[in-house]
Amino acid sequence: MMATTNNDEAEGGGQRRRPRDLLKSYYGITEGSDAAPAASSLCDINGANFDPNVYLSKLLKERSLMELMDKEQEMVKHIKTLDSDMQTLVYENYNKFISATDTIRKMKTDFKKMEDEMDRLATNMSAITEFSGCISAALQDRRQQITKLSGVHTLLKKLQFLFELPARLQKCIEQESYSQAVRYCAKSRKVLHQYQHMPSFHGIQEDVKQIVQQLSFKLREQFRQKNSSPKQLAECVDLLLQLNEPAEELCEEFLSYARQKIDEDLARLEQEIRLLEAQGAASKGPVVADGSVPMDILEFVDCGCNGFLSNICLVIASYNDMFLNRQHEDEQLDAIAVKKLVHFVNELMKQYFDYVRQRVHLEHSTGDNTILVRSLDRFHRRLQAMNKLLPDTDFSRAGTEIVSKAARDRVSHYLLSLMQHLSDCLTDIRQSLASQNLVGKQEDRSANPSALLRKMSSSLTDQIKCVLSNLQTFIDSDITFAMKPYFHSTFCMHDVREGLVVAFIRHILKVSNEFCDGCGDKISAPPALLLILSRFCHDLEQSTIGYLLTLVDDQFLLDDSSKVTSSTELRNEAKDAAQRLLNHYVQVQGLTISQMLRKSVETRDCLSSIEPRNVRAVMKRVIEDVTGIDSLVGQLYEEGIRTERTSDSTRRSYTYSNQRQASRSQWSYAPSTMDNSLMSNIQKLFSEKIEIFSKVEFNKVSVLTGIIKISLKTFLECVRLKTFGRYGLQQIQVDTHYLQLYLWRFVSDENLVHLLLDEIVGSAIHRCLDPVTMEPSVIELICERG
């Protein structure tokens, strides 16, 4: 059975090789017969020398039964795949053969019809040739006579036309058929000029000249009519040129009378501008006294494009056709004509551009730029098309300047709006602060400093984002000038980023610094406003500036940051402004408390005062004010870092007072050659030096420390200038102990308060005529009772 299978496969292989050999012989593929095929090529089932017997013998020797069965299944699968591909090819070729058969059948039918038509054509040509021969034979004797008569007839018709020419011209003029009259003149001009020496033709020529003068006069009258359209003017000029009128004179007249119509378009544009200006001056809405409603910017541009630009383009095209594109050899005339046209167009376009600039400049009352940008885009597109009509001019540059100027004006308008919004925010904050006692308890939470700061910050940020969104319409993808390099980079980088965002941030910082300088109405600014602005500038430096610059860079596709203001530079400026404001706030609040302490010392008679029974009211007011400031600053700034407090903070003054008393007693009553002031100065050398106007950090503790240092330093200096009696000194002891009970809680280092208060008491002892101090227990009792 195996032998039978081998024989069948051999026969099948031989049958498959025959078509392959035939195809090779057809395509000229030859196999080398000299070299014997290698054993590996005989077993390559896809090779040209494949031998199925050798391949089968190799499989039987090398493979097991299971591998042979798997190989058989694999080959069956390949055979089925090849059969399927072959069937597909047969079907495809079959359809092509069917189409080719139908085409050939149709061609046979068409060729048969063509053969029949060619036969009929040949028959007809033969009949025509035969008939023509008969006619030629019949008229052979009279051919010359007929040709001569035909020439005479043509000549007579021409003569008849010439003799009837004056009457025809007159009739055309009466019927206002001027183009027909000009054609008659052009047709007869050469003949009349050639035979003008003959009396009859000379008379006709004279009559024609008179009628042509009349025709020229009629055409010039129509040329001067104001209601003539540019097309009618062009027809009149063309007819006059055919009548040999001077071309240079016609150029001037054509442009002069064409300008009358164009001036009407410009006058309408000027009227719209004056109407809008009158509306803005009256501020009574869109309707003015005569009931006219001014056009919006898009209607204005459409009016200019459809009226002025359309008419001037028609004039240019007509002028080119009449004077520049005519077939003549006078190059000098062409140069003169071009010069006149360029001067004419430039003068009108300059006036038109002025009107467009004025109208765009008046478009500053709306917040939405959509209509403005659409009108500028339409204006820019129309100018691009106009450049093709007059290559010697470039109006796109002037148009681009107008578009860029409009974009800059919008940026400037938005910048002014943002500045005004900032001013309004500051006014609202001042009104809220004036209506609420921020030093005491805050009843309205919406009017506390943190709420006011959040409101102002979010309002300004939202306004900037809204403005940037409105300005993005200038760089939309469907706007022709948006992607132009000369517009896009300048607008996005210099106008929007630098001219709007950076300029507004610097304006905020400038206004903030003016509060520190005390310019104008900013001298009387409430201290809480200074603190709010300080925190606002601090937030600008920390996050807002980076956010706004990143936003504008992303929205306006800015990649090159080398030519713009860096974020670091702006943050440094904001940090400096915040520091100045905070320092100024500390100085203002310190000065306010200092004024109370100074007046309390200067207005009191410290020599003849009575024995102290309570704490003075001004000291209680100082503690209340400092507590209010602590609450106010705590709403805007973090707590800050304090040094570790001692456990006896409320009792430090007692020991110091006793020491002072002992020291003072020793100085006063013990014999000593050392001066008291010298001892005081020596003690100061060994005490810790306190810097009153040190740098204020951005936290609550640092701010309160600065205010208290200024206040106590003022108190100290006022005490040094005063002379005290016994009870005056004791009142200073009571007041300083009361201050010490409360002030140490607010400062970063309680030793600052202790040192300054001790120095105040020490100065009072030095300035006292009867330095008898009060007992600490009494002082404590008075302060607890107060």
Side-chain angles (χ1 to χ4, degrees):
M1 183 175 179
M2 185 68 68
T4 305
T5 305
N6 294 338
N7 293 332
D8 293 340
E9 291 181 357
E11 292 178 0
Q15 291 176 359
R16 284 195 298 271
R17 280 199 302 270
R18 293 191 194 97
R20 187 183 299 171
D21 294 338
L22 291 174
L23 288 172
K24 288 182 178 179
S25 63
Y26 176 76
Y27 288 106
I29 300 175
T30 59
E31 298 180 358
S33 57
D34 296 337
S40 60
S41 63
L42 295 176
C43 297
D44 185 7
I45 196 170
N46 294 320
N49 300 319
F50 175 69
D51 190 344
N53 294 326
V54 176
Y55 179 72
L56 184 58
S57 300
K58 183 179 180 182
L59 286 179
L60 292 175
K61 292 178 181 178
E62 297 176 354
R63 305 290 180 91
S64 63
L65 180 59
M66 293 302 296
E67 291 177 344
L68 289 173
M69 293 176 69
D70 294 339
K71 190 66 176 179
E72 181 185 8
Q73 292 179 1
E74 181 182 357
M75 294 184 69
V76 169
K77 187 186 295 184
H78 287 322
I79 291 170
K80 289 181 178 179
T81 302
L82 293 173
D83 289 341
S84 177
D85 294 341
M86 186 178 295
Q87 288 179 2
T88 302
L89 291 173
V90 169
Y91 291 152
E92 291 179 354
N93 292 329
Y94 177 75
N95 291 331
K96 293 179 181 178
F97 282 129
I98 295 298
S99 299
T101 304
D102 294 339
T103 303
I104 292 171
R105 186 180 298 111
K106 186 177 180 181
M107 289 176 63
K108 286 183 178 180
T109 304
D110 293 341
F111 276 119
K112 187 175 181 182
K113 292 181 180 179
M114 289 179 64
E115 288 179 358
D116 296 339
E117 291 178 359
M118 290 298 294
D119 292 339
R120 286 197 299 272
L121 180 61
T123 304
N124 292 335
M125 290 296 296
S126 299
I128 291 171
T129 302
E130 184 178 356
F131 187 69
S132 177
C134 295
I135 294 175
S136 297
L139 298 178
Q140 185 174 3
D141 298 335
R142 303 179 182 178
R143 180 179 300 172
Q144 294 181 353
Q145 186 178 0
I146 292 173
T147 302
K148 185 177 180 181
L149 290 175
S150 176
V152 172
H153 180 265
T154 303
L155 181 60
L156 290 175
K157 287 181 66 177
K158 292 180 179 180
L159 291 174
Q160 184 181 2
F161 172 79
L162 290 176
F163 284 118
E164 294 176 355
L165 180 60
R168 290 189 179 189
L169 292 177
Q170 194 65 41
K171 186 176 180 180
C172 289
I173 293 174
E174 293 174 357
Q175 295 179 354
E176 296 183 355
S177 193
Y178 302 130
S179 58
Q180 183 67 35
V182 171
R183 284 197 295 271
Y184 287 158
C185 292
K187 186 177 180 180
S188 61
R189 183 182 296 123
K190 186 176 180 181
V191 177
L192 290 177
H193 181 71
Q194 183 178 359
Y195 296 102
Q196 62 180 347
H197 61 279
M198 299 178 66
S200 57
F201 288 100
H202 182 70
I204 295 173
Q205 187 179 21
E206 292 298 326
D207 294 340
V208 169
K209 284 184 179 179
Q210 294 179 0
I211 296 174
V212 166
Q213 291 178 357
Q214 185 180 357
L215 177 61
S216 299
F217 180 75
K218 292 287 185 181
L219 289 173
R220 289 182 181 274
E221 281 186 347
Q222 185 176 356
F223 188 74
R224 294 184 178 92
Q225 292 179 2
K226 293 184 178 180
N227 57 355
S228 298
S229 64
K231 185 176 180 180
Q232 292 175 339
L233 293 177
E235 292 178 355
C236 291
V237 170
D238 183 51
L239 294 178
L240 289 171
L241 287 174
Q242 293 183 37
L243 294 177
N244 292 331
E245 293 290 328
E248 186 175 351
E249 181 181 346
L250 289 177
C251 289
E252 295 180 355
E253 291 189 12
F254 175 75
L255 295 177
S256 175
Y257 292 112
R259 182 161 186 167
Q260 296 178 1
K261 177 64 177 176
I262 297 175
D263 285 341
E264 293 178 1
D265 298 328
L266 292 175
R268 185 181 179 187
L269 298 179
E270 183 181 11
Q271 181 183 2
E272 290 296 327
I273 294 174
R274 301 296 171 259
L275 192 63
L276 190 62
E277 289 176 346
Q279 173 195 332
S283 300
K284 295 181 180 180
V287 180
V288 292
D290 60 352
S292 301
V293 179
M295 298 179 180
D296 61 24
I297 183 65
L298 185 60
E299 293 175 340
F300 182 87
V301 171
D302 283 341
C303 179
C305 291
N306 299 331
F308 171 79
L309 288 181
S310 295
N311 287 332
I312 199 171
C313 287
L314 184 58
V315 168
I316 294 172
S318 302
Y319 189 93
N320 289 335
D321 293 338
M322 289 182 296
F323 300 108
L324 302 179
N325 298 334
R326 297 174 62 88
Q327 295 181 355
H328 54 81
E329 299 179 354
D330 193 352
E331 295 181 358
Q332 184 178 3
L333 179 61
D334 284 349
I336 295 175
V338 169
K339 184 177 180 181
K340 290 181 180 294
L341 178 63
V342 170
H343 176 73
F344 170 80
V345 174
N346 285 337
E347 187 177 356
L348 290 175
M349 291 300 294
K350 180 180 179 182
Q351 190 174 358
Y352 173 65
F353 287 148
D354 289 339
Y355 289 152
V356 173
R357 289 190 189 95
Q358 295 179 34
R359 182 61 184 86
V360 171
H361 181 69
L362 293 174
E363 194 69 14
H364 54 73
S365 59
T366 61
D368 188 12
N369 296 320
T370 305
I371 296 179
L372 174 63
V373 174
R374 285 177 56 195
S375 61
L376 292 175
D377 180 58
R378 195 166 298 180
F379 169 74
H380 187 267
R381 288 174 186 264
R382 194 59 183 267
L383 289 181
Q384 295 288 340
M386 187 175 175
N387 281 339
K388 299 178 181 178
L389 284 175
L390 203 60
D392 295 333
T393 57
D394 185 12
F395 299 115
S396 60
R397 178 176 301 177
T400 303
E401 291 177 357
I402 293 176
V403 172
S404 301
K405 180 66 166 54
R408 287 194 299 272
D409 289 344
R410 294 306 294 172
V411 171
S412 301
H413 167 69
Y414 283 129
L415 179 59
L416 293 176
S417 299
L418 290 174
M419 292 178 179
Q420 183 61 42
H421 186 70
L422 173 64
S423 178
D424 295 340
C425 290
L426 295 177
T427 302
D428 293 341
I429 292 176
R430 298 182 74 159
Q431 291 177 353
S432 299
L433 295 175
S435 62
Q436 297 291 334
N437 184 10
L438 295 178
V439 179
K441 294 183 180 179
Q442 188 69 44
E443 298 178 358
D444 186 7
R445 293 184 178 180
S446 64
N448 60 44
S450 59
L452 294 175
L453 174 64
R454 288 193 301 270
K455 181 179 178 182
M456 180 178 71
S457 180
S458 62
S459 178
L460 291 176
T461 304
D462 291 342
Q463 283 292 322
I464 293 175
K465 291 166 68 176
C466 180
V467 166
L468 293 178
S469 177
N470 289 334
L471 289 175
Q472 273 191 293
T473 55
F474 280 94
I475 57 171
D476 286 341
S477 57
D478 58 340
I479 304 301
T480 55
F481 59 80
M483 292 298 114
K484 301 291 184 181
Y486 51 76
F487 175 82
H488 187 272
S489 59
T490 302
F491 174 72
C492 296
M493 186 180 301
H494 298 286
D495 296 341
V496 177
R497 191 187 192 277
E498 297 295 309
L500 180 69
V501 178
V502 174
F504 181 59
I505 292 174
R506 282 180 168 160
H507 173 73
I508 295 174
L509 304 180
K510 178 184 176 184
V511 171
S512 301
N513 286 322
E514 288 175 355
F515 282 99
C516 301
D517 300 333
C519 301
D521 61 340
K522 300 177 178 59
I523 299 177
S524 59
L529 178 60
L530 299 176
L531 190 64
I532 292 173
L533 285 177
S534 172
R535 181 64 196 191
F536 179 65
C537 292
H538 184 63
D539 292 341
L540 281 177
E541 185 260 332
Q542 292 293 324
S543 60
T544 309
I545 288 178
Y547 169 73
L548 291 177
L549 293 182
T550 303
L551 179 66
V552 70
D553 290 346
D554 293 341
Q555 289 186 352
F556 290 85
L557 306 176
L558 294 175
D559 297 327
D560 186 10
S561 59
S562 60
K563 300 179 181 179
V564 296
T565 305
S566 65
S567 176
T568 304
E569 181 180 351
L570 284 178
R571 285 200 295 265
N572 291 335
E573 294 178 9
K575 184 177 181 180
D576 294 340
Q579 188 67 60
R580 285 195 66 192
L581 285 165
L582 195 60
N583 293 342
H584 188 59
Y585 172 76
V586 170
Q587 294 173 12
V588 170
Q589 292 290 54
L591 180 62
T592 302
I593 298 176
S594 299
Q595 290 290 341
M596 291 191 296
L597 294 173
R598 183 177 63 83
K599 290 180 180 178
S600 70
V601 175
E602 292 177 350
T603 58
R604 184 178 178 85
D605 186 3
C606 298
L607 287 173
S608 59
S609 58
I610 62 175
E611 183 179 0
R613 292 288 182 265
N614 50 32
V615 180
R616 288 189 297 164
V618 66
M619 300 303 163
K620 297 179 181 179
R621 176 66 185 275
V622 168
I623 298 302
E624 290 176 358
D625 288 356
V626 172
T627 304
I629 293 172
D630 178 76
S631 175
L632 176 65
V633 178
Q635 298 179 39
L636 297 174
Y637 284 103
E638 294 76 13
E639 180 71 20
I641 302 175
R642 300 178 186 269
T643 57
E644 187 178 356
R645 294 168 179 167
T646 60
S647 60
D648 59 343
S649 297
T650 60
R651 298 184 178 273
R652 287 283 299 275
S653 62
Y654 301 151
T655 305
Y656 180 83
S657 298
N658 292 330
Q659 292 175 354
R660 281 285 184 180
Q661 183 180 4
S663 173
R664 181 58 181 162
S665 300
Q666 181 181 2
W667 300 338
S668 302
Y669 303 109
S672 176
T673 59
M674 187 174 294
D675 185 73
N676 294 339
S677 60
L678 180 59
M679 288 295 297
S680 176
N681 291 330
I682 292 174
Q683 288 183 354
K684 289 181 181 179
L685 290 175
F686 293 97
S687 64
E688 183 181 355
K689 183 178 180 182
I690 300 175
E691 186 178 356
I692 303 300
F693 297 99
S694 59
K695 181 180 179 182
V696 182
E697 302 294 337
F698 293 99
N699 56 71
K700 184 179 74 172
V701 172
S702 180
V703 173
L704 268 295
T705 301
I707 295 173
I708 291 173
K709 285 194 297 184
I710 293 174
S711 303
L712 295 182
K713 182 65 175 177
T714 303
F715 193 14
L716 173 62
E717 297 301 326
C718 292
V719 168
R720 285 176 176 172
L721 297 175
K722 200 76 174 176
T723 302
F724 295 90
R726 174 190 299 179
Y727 296 131
L729 170 61
Q730 293 177 1
Q731 185 66 55
I732 292 295
Q733 283 184 284
V734 172
D735 293 342
T736 53
H737 180 67
Y738 183 79
L739 291 176
Q740 187 270 335
L741 288 176
Y742 296 97
L743 291 183
W744 66 270
R745 299 181 176 91
F746 303 110
V747 297
S748 59
D749 187 359
E750 61 187 73
N751 292 326
L752 295 175
V753 176
H754 299 326
L755 290 174
L756 287 172
L757 291 175
D758 289 345
E759 208 170 328
I760 291 171
V761 175
S763 296
I765 292 174
H766 284 301
R767 300 289 298 173
C768 182
L769 300 177
D770 186 12
V772 178
T773 59
M774 183 178 286
E775 292 295 329
S777 58
V778 178
I779 295 174
E780 182 179 2
L781 181 62
I782 293 174
C783 291
E784 288 179 355
R785 190 173 58 197

